[in-house]
Amino acid sequence: MSASRRAYRYVGPHHVIAAVQTANSGATIRTPADFADWAAAQSTEELKEPFTFVIGTDGALLLAPHRSEHAACAGGGRVLGAGEVSFASEAGRWIVTEVSNQSTGYCPDVASWPAVAQALDQAALGHPDYFTHPVLFRRCLGCQQHNIVREGHFVCVFCDADLPRRWNVDTNIGDPGAP
């Protein structure tokens, strides 16, 4: 499976995924009309904040309020991408102003961008050509802790071991349809 179609499973704290109910999944956005209906239901204040998003294994964009758990947005399932996204209305059209892969529950690789871009395109949302705030996640081979690589410093913040240069957070990656 190519990295861009990798299905990420939840790798965050166990108590978070244990609390997830599939009924709490995010709003599914497949079309421009879906997004327009969803945006109309948000308050002006909510629209000023970034939203939690995941890309389901079916390629659909799912949105949830800021500070929502990505696992809840995804109904606990695997995702093709996850992060935070901000929107603005520009000349009568909705656009993405910022988008990241910041999800410490799924720790998606920056290579998840094509799946994110495809879902945004499907909903006719103008967007940048890449993550505006890319996050590099790595798992320490020594202590097994998940790390965010900052300023190109590939060293574990927990044990000072060198971190791999390639994404390695979850070595148990399966097909998008796998449980």
Side-chain angles (χ1 to χ4, degrees):
M1 170 182 310
S2 73
S4 65
R5 294 306 292 180
R6 179 181 288 147
Y8 300 90
R9 71 182 176 101
Y10 180 80
V11 295
H14 296 293
H15 72 278
V16 172
I17 195 70
V20 169
Q21 301 293 319
T22 55
N24 293 340
S25 53
T28 302
I29 310 296
R30 295 183 192 279
T31 66
D34 290 343
F35 186 84
D37 290 346
W38 173 85
Q42 308 307 307
S43 73
T44 303
E45 289 306 310
E46 287 172 316
L47 288 169
K48 291 179 183 176
E49 294 285 326
F51 290 88
T52 295
F53 82 86
V54 298
I55 307 302
T57 56
D58 62 355
L61 172 67
L62 287 92
L63 295 171
H66 189 228
R67 295 181 186 85
S68 295
E69 292 290 344
H70 289 91
C73 186
R78 290 182 182 257
V79 301
L80 300 179
E84 295 185 351
V85 61
S86 296
F87 303 101
S89 180
E90 187 175 274
R93 179 174 181 238
W94 284 100
I95 62 165
V96 171
T97 57
E98 295 185 10
V99 59
S100 76
N101 62 317
Q102 175 69 47
S103 168
T104 57
Y106 285 99
C107 301
D109 189 20
V110 293
S112 64
W113 173 251
V116 174
Q118 186 174 21
L120 296 173
D121 288 343
Q122 183 178 336
L125 294 165
H127 59 80
D129 294 332
Y130 44 80
F131 287 120
T132 56
H133 302 287
V135 179
L136 298 178
F137 294 101
R138 298 294 186 272
R139 179 178 45 86
C140 177
L141 299 176
C143 70
Q144 301 300 308
Q145 293 292 319
H146 296 147
N147 286 257
I148 293 177
V149 175
R150 298 188 194 281
E151 299 177 10
H153 193 62
F154 285 80
V155 176
C156 178
V157 298
F158 302 99
C159 75
D160 274 342
D162 288 339
L163 295 171
R165 295 292 174 157
R166 293 179 56 136
W167 185 89
N168 72 328
V169 174
D170 183 9
T171 57
N172 188 23
I173 296 295
D175 292 328

